[in-house]
Amino acid sequence: MVGWIEQFPELAALPEEHRRILVDHAATINLPAGTTVFAPGRLAESFLLLLKGRIRVQQTSASGREIVLYRVGGGETCIMTTACLLADELYSAEGITETDVTAISISKEAFDDAIARSPGFRRLVFSQYSHRISDVMHVVEEVAFERLDKRLAARLLELADPAGALTITHQELASELGTAREVVGRQLKELERRGWVTLSRGSIVLTDRDKLDCLASG
Amino acid sequence: MVGWIEQFPELAALPEEHRRILVDHAATINLPAGTTVFAPGRLAESFLLLLKGRIRVQQTSASGREIVLYRVGGGETCIMTTACLLADELYSAEGITETDVTAISISKEAFDDAIARSPGFRRLVFSQYSHRISDVMHVVEEVAFERLDKRLAARLLELADPAGALTITHQELASELGTAREVVGRQLKELERRGWVTLSRGSIVLTDRDKLDCLASG
DNA sequence: AAAGGTCTGTGACTTAGTCACATAACAACG
DNA sequence: CGTTGTTATGTGACTAAGTCACAGACCTTT
């Protein structure tokens, strides 16, 4: 647990004095996959620095449809908890661990102290905030203006492993994109018809990534 | 110009010492309606506190369609410039003054200093950040999950003056909602057919706000 | 009164989302 | 090994929304 700070280049570069504020008040926590990190109506109680694993931040509609807003990975901070922390606000989004997660938890007080004293830490936090707003704005752009086949192709490429395979259901893909399962099914059928993917129950293999890439960026 | 700080309850409540940091580095600026406050590719150079007027923050697609993300009004801060300021990041969104605007501009250095020294100022800034993320997430929710007639009704109520009138074109309404002019036109026709609005060139009068409200919140 | 701009209307068409099912693949059990 | 239940996927008919190519209508200016 010593040395976790090295995983955050911006933090590692801080002077010893400021690093100490963080290190002295840090607690390592482990969360199994599927844990709800934050949800509407729940107030956050600490600042989270992700060491390992991935958190998915998504929004759920009244009718039960979902859409993924962004993901937080290792070396990043979960700014939604930060936001709740600092503004005592509630959010409509929820955060769920997609994998087992190891994170550093820093108390509200130590966080506030670090913000006050360390310009470098401020930069880190604001930069992460900016990135997230940027991410969410990008989602708006996609949902409002992009065609579904393009968005689907992009998401498939994003989620596929190096071999081009992904283990995912149509429903899960629909939740990624904020659409309905049937729609994803039909789009996938069309991609299969063109020979760009191979479909089977619970998994998809990308067989022509160039073509998909072309669709995704065209 | 003395006493502008009174317009921001959170700032007015700060101890004299912290208020001085802001006041001593504040400059009043005036922007005519239609000014681009920030845009893709432009770096912000100062922190903005809006005294009077309104800024519209919107996103434009490659094909030229637009969608309004949120508005900044008097007593609020323009956090997009803040974000650019602190993270040296660029955004795809743009901010345009909808009315003549009077704002307080605070230099990057003074802003950073105030963040460092004043817990109250930190709270204000983070709270505004949180609100904006929340706003943008709400737009995602609307665009992805809500029906257009409902969104249109809500927007009409939002933009109408106390008498229920609004001066706006179909194209402008389409840009509010991120859709196409023809679509808005047809939706408005349907509302007119039901007797809930009266249409004329360049303006709309709401004739049954209860019904519209019912549609908007149903 | 003519000209030119802006705003609005329309029909035919494509794309996306909804609903109510049917079918298929898998897993677990006796 | 079949039976049963669960999860995943497929389908057709329908509604909602977006696109495209225009045609008018309204307003201002000269």
Side-chain angles (χ1 to χ4, degrees):
Chain A
M1 141 151 199
V2 176
W4 61 261
I5 215 167
E6 311 305 331
Q7 290 196 27
F8 298 81
E10 298 96 330
L11 298 184
L14 297 184
E16 174 61 20
E17 178 197 351
H18 297 154
R19 292 167 56 168
R20 189 143 295 287
I21 305 171
L22 297 172
V23 172
D24 287 353
H25 298 84
T28 306
I29 60 173
N30 287 292
L31 302 167
T35 308
T36 300
V37 182
F38 59 90
R42 282 218 261 145
L43 272 178
E45 68 299 328
S46 63
F47 176 66
L48 283 189
L49 287 160
L50 235 66
L51 293 179
K52 218 170 41 121
R54 202 168 57 241
I55 295 175
R56 185 178 68 239
V57 177
Q58 65 189 20
Q59 191 149 43
T60 305
S61 80
S63 62
R65 258 170 62 192
E66 296 179 341
I67 185 167
V68 173
L69 298 173
Y70 59 85
R71 290 182 159 84
V72 185
E76 298 179 324
T77 64
C78 185
I79 56 94
M80 284 302 278
T81 55
T82 314
C84 301
L85 209 62
L86 297 180
D88 290 326
E89 296 235 6
L90 299 175
Y91 280 100
S92 56
E94 63 181 331
I96 296 171
T97 57
E98 282 193 310
T99 62
D100 289 351
V101 159
T102 307
I104 296 295
S105 163
I106 293 172
S107 72
K108 185 170 177 155
E109 291 72 26
F111 175 83
D112 205 50
D113 195 31
I115 285 279
R117 296 212 229 153
S118 172
F121 187 62
R122 281 202 288 281
R123 271 184 66 89
L124 170 74
V125 170
F126 278 109
S127 153
Q128 298 261 338
Y129 247 105
S130 304
H131 254 110
R132 294 321 171 197
I133 291 196
S134 207
D135 288 344
V136 180
M137 285 183 173
H138 190 245
V139 174
V140 171
E141 192 176 9
E142 277 206 331
V143 173
F145 305 131
E146 300 294 354
R147 290 178 49 105
L148 195 62
D149 52 358
K150 179 178 171 178
R151 295 174 57 212
L152 176 61
R155 200 55 72 109
L156 287 173
L157 289 165
E158 212 177 295
L159 295 174
D161 66 19
L166 51 173
T167 304
I168 197 166
T169 65
H170 297 182
Q171 178 58 67
E172 284 166 336
L173 269 172
S175 290
E176 290 282 333
L177 302 169
T179 183
R181 178 189 59 79
E182 303 91 309
V183 178
V184 168
R186 287 194 257 263
Q187 297 279 357
L188 285 172
K189 264 267 166 294
E190 172 61 20
L191 294 180
E192 186 178 47
R193 198 193 59 74
R194 295 189 201 167
W196 300 355
V197 303
T198 308
L199 303 177
S200 46
R201 184 189 166 96
S203 68
I204 301 171
V205 179
L206 312 188
T207 48
D208 193 337
R209 288 210 245 190
D210 290 345
K211 287 281 170 51
L212 286 170
D213 204 65
C214 179
L215 171 59
S217 54
Chain B
M1 146 150 195
V2 176
W4 61 262
I5 215 168
E6 310 305 330
Q7 289 196 28
F8 297 82
E10 298 96 330
L11 298 185
L14 297 184
E16 175 61 22
E17 178 198 351
H18 297 154
R19 292 167 56 170
R20 188 143 298 285
I21 306 172
L22 298 172
V23 171
D24 286 353
H25 298 85
T28 306
I29 59 174
N30 286 292
L31 302 167
T35 308
T36 300
V37 183
F38 58 91
R42 282 218 262 144
L43 274 178
E45 69 298 331
S46 63
F47 177 66
L48 284 191
L49 287 160
L50 234 65
L51 293 180
K52 219 169 41 117
R54 202 169 57 241
I55 295 174
R56 185 179 69 238
V57 177
Q58 65 189 19
Q59 191 149 43
T60 306
S61 80
S63 62
R65 257 169 63 192
E66 297 179 340
I67 185 168
V68 173
L69 298 173
Y70 59 85
R71 289 182 160 84
V72 185
E76 297 180 326
T77 64
C78 185
I79 57 94
M80 284 301 278
T81 56
T82 315
C84 301
L85 210 63
L86 297 178
D88 290 326
E89 296 235 6
L90 300 175
Y91 280 100
S92 56
E94 62 181 332
I96 296 171
T97 56
E98 282 194 309
T99 63
D100 290 351
V101 159
T102 307
I104 296 294
S105 163
I106 293 172
S107 71
K108 185 169 175 154
E109 291 71 27
F111 175 83
D112 204 50
D113 195 31
I115 285 280
R117 297 211 226 152
S118 171
F121 187 63
R122 281 202 289 280
R123 271 184 66 89
L124 170 74
V125 170
F126 277 109
S127 154
Q128 297 262 340
Y129 247 105
S130 304
H131 255 109
R132 294 320 171 197
I133 292 196
S134 208
D135 287 343
V136 180
M137 285 182 173
H138 190 244
V139 173
V140 171
E141 191 176 10
E142 278 207 330
V143 173
F145 305 132
E146 300 294 354
R147 290 178 50 108
L148 195 61
D149 53 358
K150 178 176 170 177
R151 293 174 58 211
L152 176 60
R155 200 54 72 110
L156 287 173
L157 290 165
E158 213 176 294
L159 296 174
D161 67 18
L166 51 173
T167 303
I168 197 167
T169 65
H170 297 182
Q171 178 57 66
E172 285 167 334
L173 270 172
S175 291
E176 290 283 332
L177 302 169
T179 183
R181 178 190 59 81
E182 304 90 310
V183 178
V184 168
R186 287 195 258 262
Q187 298 279 355
L188 285 173
K189 263 268 166 291
E190 171 62 20
L191 294 181
E192 186 179 48
R193 196 192 59 75
R194 294 189 203 169
W196 300 356
V197 302
T198 308
L199 303 177
S200 46
R201 183 188 166 98
S203 69
I204 302 170
V205 179
L206 313 188
T207 48
D208 194 336
R209 287 210 245 190
D210 290 346
K211 287 280 171 52
L212 287 170
D213 204 66
C214 180
L215 171 57
S217 55

PDB file of all heavy atoms in Angstrom, chain B residues 142-168:
ATOM      1  N   GLU B 142     -33.017  13.640 -20.993  1.00  0.00           N
ATOM      2  CA  GLU B 142     -34.113  14.127 -21.828  1.00  0.00           C
ATOM      3  C   GLU B 142     -33.996  13.649 -23.262  1.00  0.00           C
ATOM      4  O   GLU B 142     -34.938  13.115 -23.837  1.00  0.00           O
ATOM      5  CB  GLU B 142     -34.110  15.656 -21.833  1.00  0.00           C
ATOM      6  CG  GLU B 142     -34.781  16.286 -20.656  1.00  0.00           C
ATOM      7  CD  GLU B 142     -35.295  17.664 -21.054  1.00  0.00           C
ATOM      8  OE1 GLU B 142     -34.681  18.286 -21.932  1.00  0.00           O
ATOM      9  OE2 GLU B 142     -36.310  18.096 -20.484  1.00  0.00           O
ATOM     10  N   VAL B 143     -32.812  13.869 -23.824  1.00  0.00           N
ATOM     11  CA  VAL B 143     -32.618  13.546 -25.233  1.00  0.00           C
ATOM     12  C   VAL B 143     -32.761  12.039 -25.463  1.00  0.00           C
ATOM     13  O   VAL B 143     -33.354  11.602 -26.445  1.00  0.00           O
ATOM     14  CB  VAL B 143     -31.240  14.025 -25.722  1.00  0.00           C
ATOM     15  CG1 VAL B 143     -30.965  13.537 -27.137  1.00  0.00           C
ATOM     16  CG2 VAL B 143     -31.173  15.530 -25.672  1.00  0.00           C
ATOM     17  N   ALA B 144     -32.227  11.264 -24.540  1.00  0.00           N
ATOM     18  CA  ALA B 144     -32.224   9.819 -24.742  1.00  0.00           C
ATOM     19  C   ALA B 144     -33.578   9.185 -24.443  1.00  0.00           C
ATOM     20  O   ALA B 144     -33.958   8.218 -25.091  1.00  0.00           O
ATOM     21  CB  ALA B 144     -31.133   9.177 -23.880  1.00  0.00           C
ATOM     22  N   PHE B 145     -34.313   9.733 -23.489  1.00  0.00           N
ATOM     23  CA  PHE B 145     -35.465   8.986 -22.989  1.00  0.00           C
ATOM     24  C   PHE B 145     -36.821   9.665 -23.101  1.00  0.00           C
ATOM     25  O   PHE B 145     -37.851   9.011 -22.985  1.00  0.00           O
ATOM     26  CB  PHE B 145     -35.234   8.608 -21.520  1.00  0.00           C
ATOM     27  CG  PHE B 145     -33.971   7.850 -21.275  1.00  0.00           C
ATOM     28  CD1 PHE B 145     -33.111   8.219 -20.252  1.00  0.00           C
ATOM     29  CD2 PHE B 145     -33.640   6.758 -22.072  1.00  0.00           C
ATOM     30  CE1 PHE B 145     -31.932   7.517 -20.023  1.00  0.00           C
ATOM     31  CE2 PHE B 145     -32.465   6.052 -21.850  1.00  0.00           C
ATOM     32  CZ  PHE B 145     -31.610   6.434 -20.813  1.00  0.00           C
ATOM     33  N   GLU B 146     -36.836  10.974 -23.290  1.00  0.00           N
ATOM     34  CA  GLU B 146     -38.130  11.646 -23.255  1.00  0.00           C
ATOM     35  C   GLU B 146     -38.692  11.890 -24.651  1.00  0.00           C
ATOM     36  O   GLU B 146     -37.957  12.107 -25.601  1.00  0.00           O
ATOM     37  CB  GLU B 146     -38.015  12.982 -22.512  1.00  0.00           C
ATOM     38  CG  GLU B 146     -37.563  12.860 -21.071  1.00  0.00           C
ATOM     39  CD  GLU B 146     -38.560  12.148 -20.177  1.00  0.00           C
ATOM     40  OE1 GLU B 146     -39.670  11.835 -20.643  1.00  0.00           O
ATOM     41  OE2 GLU B 146     -38.207  11.899 -19.017  1.00  0.00           O
ATOM     42  N   ARG B 147     -39.981  11.911 -24.724  1.00  0.00           N
ATOM     43  CA  ARG B 147     -40.640  12.182 -25.992  1.00  0.00           C
ATOM     44  C   ARG B 147     -40.517  13.666 -26.329  1.00  0.00           C
ATOM     45  O   ARG B 147     -40.463  14.519 -25.448  1.00  0.00           O
ATOM     46  CB  ARG B 147     -42.112  11.795 -25.904  1.00  0.00           C
ATOM     47  CG  ARG B 147     -42.345  10.302 -25.825  1.00  0.00           C
ATOM     48  CD  ARG B 147     -43.822  10.069 -25.696  1.00  0.00           C
ATOM     49  NE  ARG B 147     -44.509  10.829 -26.719  1.00  0.00           N
ATOM     50  CZ  ARG B 147     -45.083  10.307 -27.790  1.00  0.00           C
ATOM     51  NH1 ARG B 147     -45.046   9.010 -27.955  1.00  0.00           N
ATOM     52  NH2 ARG B 147     -45.687  11.065 -28.676  1.00  0.00           N
ATOM     53  N   LEU B 148     -40.525  13.933 -27.612  1.00  0.00           N
ATOM     54  CA  LEU B 148     -40.295  15.296 -28.055  1.00  0.00           C
ATOM     55  C   LEU B 148     -41.430  16.243 -27.672  1.00  0.00           C
ATOM     56  O   LEU B 148     -41.192  17.390 -27.278  1.00  0.00           O
ATOM     57  CB  LEU B 148     -40.076  15.321 -29.567  1.00  0.00           C
ATOM     58  CG  LEU B 148     -39.480  16.622 -30.076  1.00  0.00           C
ATOM     59  CD1 LEU B 148     -38.117  16.881 -29.475  1.00  0.00           C
ATOM     60  CD2 LEU B 148     -39.419  16.622 -31.580  1.00  0.00           C
ATOM     61  N   ASP B 149     -42.674  15.770 -27.768  1.00  0.00           N
ATOM     62  CA  ASP B 149     -43.796  16.660 -27.429  1.00  0.00           C
ATOM     63  C   ASP B 149     -43.695  17.120 -25.980  1.00  0.00           C
ATOM     64  O   ASP B 149     -43.917  18.287 -25.656  1.00  0.00           O
ATOM     65  CB  ASP B 149     -45.145  15.989 -27.730  1.00  0.00           C
ATOM     66  CG  ASP B 149     -45.288  14.620 -27.095  1.00  0.00           C
ATOM     67  OD1 ASP B 149     -44.327  14.144 -26.448  1.00  0.00           O
ATOM     68  OD2 ASP B 149     -46.356  14.012 -27.234  1.00  0.00           O
ATOM     69  N   LYS B 150     -43.304  16.194 -25.118  1.00  0.00           N
ATOM     70  CA  LYS B 150     -43.123  16.522 -23.713  1.00  0.00           C
ATOM     71  C   LYS B 150     -41.992  17.534 -23.513  1.00  0.00           C
ATOM     72  O   LYS B 150     -42.145  18.527 -22.792  1.00  0.00           O
ATOM     73  CB  LYS B 150     -42.806  15.232 -22.950  1.00  0.00           C
ATOM     74  CG  LYS B 150     -42.554  15.421 -21.485  1.00  0.00           C
ATOM     75  CD  LYS B 150     -42.347  14.088 -20.784  1.00  0.00           C
ATOM     76  CE  LYS B 150     -41.856  14.333 -19.364  1.00  0.00           C
ATOM     77  NZ  LYS B 150     -41.695  13.093 -18.605  1.00  0.00           N
ATOM     78  N   ARG B 151     -40.883  17.297 -24.187  1.00  0.00           N
ATOM     79  CA  ARG B 151     -39.739  18.210 -24.067  1.00  0.00           C
ATOM     80  C   ARG B 151     -40.093  19.584 -24.611  1.00  0.00           C
ATOM     81  O   ARG B 151     -39.727  20.608 -24.029  1.00  0.00           O
ATOM     82  CB  ARG B 151     -38.537  17.636 -24.807  1.00  0.00           C
ATOM     83  CG  ARG B 151     -37.981  16.375 -24.196  1.00  0.00           C
ATOM     84  CD  ARG B 151     -36.869  15.799 -25.082  1.00  0.00           C
ATOM     85  NE  ARG B 151     -35.804  16.754 -25.274  1.00  0.00           N
ATOM     86  CZ  ARG B 151     -35.053  16.831 -26.367  1.00  0.00           C
ATOM     87  NH1 ARG B 151     -35.271  16.004 -27.365  1.00  0.00           N
ATOM     88  NH2 ARG B 151     -34.105  17.733 -26.450  1.00  0.00           N
ATOM     89  N   LEU B 152     -40.811  19.588 -25.710  1.00  0.00           N
ATOM     90  CA  LEU B 152     -41.189  20.872 -26.312  1.00  0.00           C
ATOM     91  C   LEU B 152     -42.104  21.658 -25.386  1.00  0.00           C
ATOM     92  O   LEU B 152     -41.894  22.855 -25.148  1.00  0.00           O
ATOM     93  CB  LEU B 152     -41.870  20.636 -27.663  1.00  0.00           C
ATOM     94  CG  LEU B 152     -42.405  21.872 -28.374  1.00  0.00           C
ATOM     95  CD1 LEU B 152     -41.295  22.871 -28.662  1.00  0.00           C
ATOM     96  CD2 LEU B 152     -43.128  21.494 -29.669  1.00  0.00           C
ATOM     97  N   ALA B 153     -43.085  20.986 -24.851  1.00  0.00           N
ATOM     98  CA  ALA B 153     -44.013  21.649 -23.926  1.00  0.00           C
ATOM     99  C   ALA B 153     -43.245  22.251 -22.758  1.00  0.00           C
ATOM    100  O   ALA B 153     -43.472  23.407 -22.365  1.00  0.00           O
ATOM    101  CB  ALA B 153     -45.061  20.659 -23.437  1.00  0.00           C
ATOM    102  N   ALA B 154     -42.327  21.476 -22.202  1.00  0.00           N
ATOM    103  CA  ALA B 154     -41.549  21.945 -21.064  1.00  0.00           C
ATOM    104  C   ALA B 154     -40.746  23.197 -21.447  1.00  0.00           C
ATOM    105  O   ALA B 154     -40.695  24.175 -20.702  1.00  0.00           O
ATOM    106  CB  ALA B 154     -40.608  20.849 -20.570  1.00  0.00           C
ATOM    107  N   ARG B 155     -40.157  23.151 -22.634  1.00  0.00           N
ATOM    108  CA  ARG B 155     -39.329  24.261 -23.047  1.00  0.00           C
ATOM    109  C   ARG B 155     -40.149  25.508 -23.313  1.00  0.00           C
ATOM    110  O   ARG B 155     -39.733  26.619 -22.998  1.00  0.00           O
ATOM    111  CB  ARG B 155     -38.513  23.862 -24.278  1.00  0.00           C
ATOM    112  CG  ARG B 155     -37.288  24.706 -24.543  1.00  0.00           C
ATOM    113  CD  ARG B 155     -36.344  24.793 -23.343  1.00  0.00           C
ATOM    114  NE  ARG B 155     -35.635  23.569 -23.096  1.00  0.00           N
ATOM    115  CZ  ARG B 155     -34.336  23.402 -23.300  1.00  0.00           C
ATOM    116  NH1 ARG B 155     -33.602  24.414 -23.722  1.00  0.00           N
ATOM    117  NH2 ARG B 155     -33.767  22.244 -23.048  1.00  0.00           N
ATOM    118  N   LEU B 156     -41.329  25.328 -23.876  1.00  0.00           N
ATOM    119  CA  LEU B 156     -42.203  26.471 -24.119  1.00  0.00           C
ATOM    120  C   LEU B 156     -42.545  27.156 -22.806  1.00  0.00           C
ATOM    121  O   LEU B 156     -42.469  28.384 -22.688  1.00  0.00           O
ATOM    122  CB  LEU B 156     -43.478  26.007 -24.829  1.00  0.00           C
ATOM    123  CG  LEU B 156     -43.333  25.612 -26.305  1.00  0.00           C
ATOM    124  CD1 LEU B 156     -44.633  25.006 -26.825  1.00  0.00           C
ATOM    125  CD2 LEU B 156     -42.890  26.787 -27.154  1.00  0.00           C
ATOM    126  N   LEU B 157     -42.907  26.369 -21.815  1.00  0.00           N
ATOM    127  CA  LEU B 157     -43.252  26.937 -20.517  1.00  0.00           C
ATOM    128  C   LEU B 157     -42.065  27.661 -19.909  1.00  0.00           C
ATOM    129  O   LEU B 157     -42.209  28.712 -19.278  1.00  0.00           O
ATOM    130  CB  LEU B 157     -43.725  25.815 -19.578  1.00  0.00           C
ATOM    131  CG  LEU B 157     -45.091  25.217 -19.939  1.00  0.00           C
ATOM    132  CD1 LEU B 157     -45.321  23.897 -19.214  1.00  0.00           C
ATOM    133  CD2 LEU B 157     -46.201  26.207 -19.617  1.00  0.00           C
ATOM    134  N   GLU B 158     -40.890  27.093 -20.117  1.00  0.00           N
ATOM    135  CA  GLU B 158     -39.668  27.645 -19.547  1.00  0.00           C
ATOM    136  C   GLU B 158     -39.318  28.992 -20.183  1.00  0.00           C
ATOM    137  O   GLU B 158     -38.854  29.905 -19.498  1.00  0.00           O
ATOM    138  CB  GLU B 158     -38.556  26.646 -19.847  1.00  0.00           C
ATOM    139  CG  GLU B 158     -37.462  26.538 -18.827  1.00  0.00           C
ATOM    140  CD  GLU B 158     -36.514  25.436 -19.254  1.00  0.00           C
ATOM    141  OE1 GLU B 158     -36.951  24.253 -19.274  1.00  0.00           O
ATOM    142  OE2 GLU B 158     -35.363  25.745 -19.601  1.00  0.00           O
ATOM    143  N   LEU B 159     -39.529  29.081 -21.483  1.00  0.00           N
ATOM    144  CA  LEU B 159     -39.077  30.268 -22.211  1.00  0.00           C
ATOM    145  C   LEU B 159     -40.137  31.367 -22.291  1.00  0.00           C
ATOM    146  O   LEU B 159     -39.828  32.500 -22.653  1.00  0.00           O
ATOM    147  CB  LEU B 159     -38.635  29.877 -23.622  1.00  0.00           C
ATOM    148  CG  LEU B 159     -37.431  28.935 -23.736  1.00  0.00           C
ATOM    149  CD1 LEU B 159     -37.205  28.524 -25.182  1.00  0.00           C
ATOM    150  CD2 LEU B 159     -36.176  29.591 -23.166  1.00  0.00           C
ATOM    151  N   ALA B 160     -41.373  31.035 -21.969  1.00  0.00           N
ATOM    152  CA  ALA B 160     -42.448  32.017 -22.114  1.00  0.00           C
ATOM    153  C   ALA B 160     -42.337  33.115 -21.055  1.00  0.00           C
ATOM    154  O   ALA B 160     -41.862  32.874 -19.948  1.00  0.00           O
ATOM    155  CB  ALA B 160     -43.797  31.324 -22.000  1.00  0.00           C
ATOM    156  N   ASP B 161     -42.780  34.302 -21.408  1.00  0.00           N
ATOM    157  CA  ASP B 161     -42.809  35.382 -20.426  1.00  0.00           C
ATOM    158  C   ASP B 161     -44.056  35.200 -19.557  1.00  0.00           C
ATOM    159  O   ASP B 161     -44.871  34.307 -19.820  1.00  0.00           O
ATOM    160  CB  ASP B 161     -42.765  36.744 -21.123  1.00  0.00           C
ATOM    161  CG  ASP B 161     -44.024  37.032 -21.937  1.00  0.00           C
ATOM    162  OD1 ASP B 161     -45.055  36.370 -21.701  1.00  0.00           O
ATOM    163  OD2 ASP B 161     -43.966  37.895 -22.813  1.00  0.00           O
ATOM    164  N   PRO B 162     -44.197  36.018 -18.509  1.00  0.00           N
ATOM    165  CA  PRO B 162     -45.315  35.823 -17.579  1.00  0.00           C
ATOM    166  C   PRO B 162     -46.683  35.799 -18.264  1.00  0.00           C
ATOM    167  O   PRO B 162     -47.614  35.141 -17.800  1.00  0.00           O
ATOM    168  CB  PRO B 162     -45.199  37.027 -16.640  1.00  0.00           C
ATOM    169  CG  PRO B 162     -43.750  37.391 -16.672  1.00  0.00           C
ATOM    170  CD  PRO B 162     -43.304  37.105 -18.073  1.00  0.00           C
ATOM    171  N   ALA B 163     -46.787  36.533 -19.390  1.00  0.00           N
ATOM    172  CA  ALA B 163     -48.066  36.571 -20.094  1.00  0.00           C
ATOM    173  C   ALA B 163     -48.297  35.328 -20.946  1.00  0.00           C
ATOM    174  O   ALA B 163     -49.366  35.146 -21.521  1.00  0.00           O
ATOM    175  CB  ALA B 163     -48.139  37.827 -20.958  1.00  0.00           C
ATOM    176  N   GLY B 164     -47.269  34.504 -21.046  1.00  0.00           N
ATOM    177  CA  GLY B 164     -47.407  33.288 -21.849  1.00  0.00           C
ATOM    178  C   GLY B 164     -46.990  33.458 -23.289  1.00  0.00           C
ATOM    179  O   GLY B 164     -47.240  32.597 -24.124  1.00  0.00           O
ATOM    180  N   ALA B 165     -46.338  34.564 -23.587  1.00  0.00           N
ATOM    181  CA  ALA B 165     -45.898  34.801 -24.961  1.00  0.00           C
ATOM    182  C   ALA B 165     -44.401  34.556 -25.088  1.00  0.00           C
ATOM    183  O   ALA B 165     -43.652  34.693 -24.121  1.00  0.00           O
ATOM    184  CB  ALA B 165     -46.220  36.240 -25.366  1.00  0.00           C
ATOM    185  N   LEU B 166     -43.993  34.147 -26.269  1.00  0.00           N
ATOM    186  CA  LEU B 166     -42.553  34.075 -26.516  1.00  0.00           C
ATOM    187  C   LEU B 166     -42.261  34.400 -27.971  1.00  0.00           C
ATOM    188  O   LEU B 166     -43.003  34.032 -28.862  1.00  0.00           O
ATOM    189  CB  LEU B 166     -41.916  32.748 -26.099  1.00  0.00           C
ATOM    190  CG  LEU B 166     -42.445  31.393 -26.529  1.00  0.00           C
ATOM    191  CD1 LEU B 166     -41.490  30.310 -26.089  1.00  0.00           C
ATOM    192  CD2 LEU B 166     -43.813  31.111 -25.966  1.00  0.00           C
ATOM    193  N   THR B 167     -41.160  35.121 -28.148  1.00  0.00           N
ATOM    194  CA  THR B 167     -40.724  35.508 -29.478  1.00  0.00           C
ATOM    195  C   THR B 167     -39.608  34.569 -29.875  1.00  0.00           C
ATOM    196  O   THR B 167     -38.485  34.684 -29.385  1.00  0.00           O
ATOM    197  CB  THR B 167     -40.218  36.958 -29.463  1.00  0.00           C
ATOM    198  OG1 THR B 167     -41.261  37.790 -28.969  1.00  0.00           O
ATOM    199  CG2 THR B 167     -39.811  37.394 -30.859  1.00  0.00           C
ATOM    200  N   ILE B 168     -39.949  33.634 -30.732  1.00  0.00           N
ATOM    201  CA  ILE B 168     -38.961  32.615 -31.076  1.00  0.00           C
ATOM    202  C   ILE B 168     -39.384  31.953 -32.385  1.00  0.00           C
ATOM    203  O   ILE B 168     -40.580  31.856 -32.678  1.00  0.00           O
ATOM    204  CB  ILE B 168     -38.861  31.564 -29.932  1.00  0.00           C
ATOM    205  CG1 ILE B 168     -37.593  30.745 -30.043  1.00  0.00           C
ATOM    206  CG2 ILE B 168     -40.089  30.652 -29.925  1.00  0.00           C
ATOM    207  CD1 ILE B 168     -37.296  29.941 -28.794  1.00  0.00           C
TER     208      ILE B 168
END
